[in-house]
Amino acid sequence: MDKIIIGSWASKLALIQSRYEIVPGISSVIAAAAYAGIPITHRDYSSSFHVLTAHNPERISFEHLAELKGTIIFLMGLKKLKELTDLLLQHGFSAEKPVAVIYYGTTSEQLVIKGKIETIARKVEASHLSPPVLIVIGLQCFWILDSWEI
């Protein structure tokens, strides 16, 4: 399902010379956050969510992201986390805005590292995580279930 959301499926399907079937499911964007106890939207904090791939931060309009009031979610952002947080800060995001980095969401290995935009890159680097991770930015990130967080 995530391949459809981030668009990598279209180029791969063009190469397939046989029949195929797409099986709908729940994206990790929703599943991992829910499993960590983080609501993607919340009536008091966020009425929308915005999913971005972090492969090419230069393609992201951080000016527009700063104007949005919704939850921001980055896929494939572990290696670019410091660059992403620096760009968010440069474009007006509060250094205090909560962030959760979810490692191996919905598995027995799930781990959630929470912090703020100004601190999360250091905390994640110190934890020596490897992909995959989901990065969730929004006020509701303080709702994380304590059993998953460090």
Side-chain angles (χ1 to χ4, degrees):
M1 188 60 155
D2 287 347
K3 296 208 180 297
I4 292 174
I5 290 173
I6 61 173
S8 64
W9 68 281
S11 60
K12 292 177 180 156
L13 288 181
L15 300 174
I16 296 174
Q17 299 298 315
S18 62
R19 295 176 52 98
Y20 60 88
E21 179 179 2
I22 294 175
V23 179
I26 298 173
S27 167
S28 68
V29 170
I30 304 295
Y35 201 66
I38 302 169
I40 293 294
T41 61
H42 186 285
R43 75 177 70 156
D44 295 330
Y45 307 113
S46 173
S47 61
S48 63
F49 65 94
H50 312 275
V51 180
L52 301 104
T53 172
H55 278 302
N56 298 304
E58 65 280 358
R59 291 183 172 177
I60 298 170
S61 174
F62 285 89
E63 298 83 13
H64 289 108
L65 278 182
E67 295 172 8
L68 299 173
K69 302 298 180 208
T71 305
I72 297 173
I73 301 166
F74 286 105
L75 296 168
M76 302 171 291
L78 182 63
K79 293 179 181 174
K80 303 271 185 167
L81 183 57
K82 175 72 171 118
E83 181 180 354
L84 292 170
T85 56
D86 287 348
L87 287 163
L88 291 168
L89 291 171
Q90 289 170 23
H91 289 91
F93 279 75
S94 167
E96 298 294 309
K97 188 160 218 150
V99 179
V101 175
I102 305 168
Y103 168 77
Y104 267 83
T106 73
T107 72
S108 61
E109 295 179 51
Q110 177 171 301
L111 177 68
V112 179
I113 300 174
K114 76 176 180 178
K116 300 171 183 172
I117 287 179
E118 70 178 344
T119 62
I120 195 68
R122 285 191 305 275
K123 289 179 85 171
V124 169
E125 184 179 348
S127 70
H128 305 291
L129 295 182
S130 59
V133 303
L134 183 74
I135 302 165
V136 183
I137 302 168
L139 293 175
Q140 70 278 21
C141 287
F142 67 81
W143 283 52
I144 297 170
L145 298 172
D146 291 336
S147 61
W148 296 119
E149 97 182 62
I150 60 171

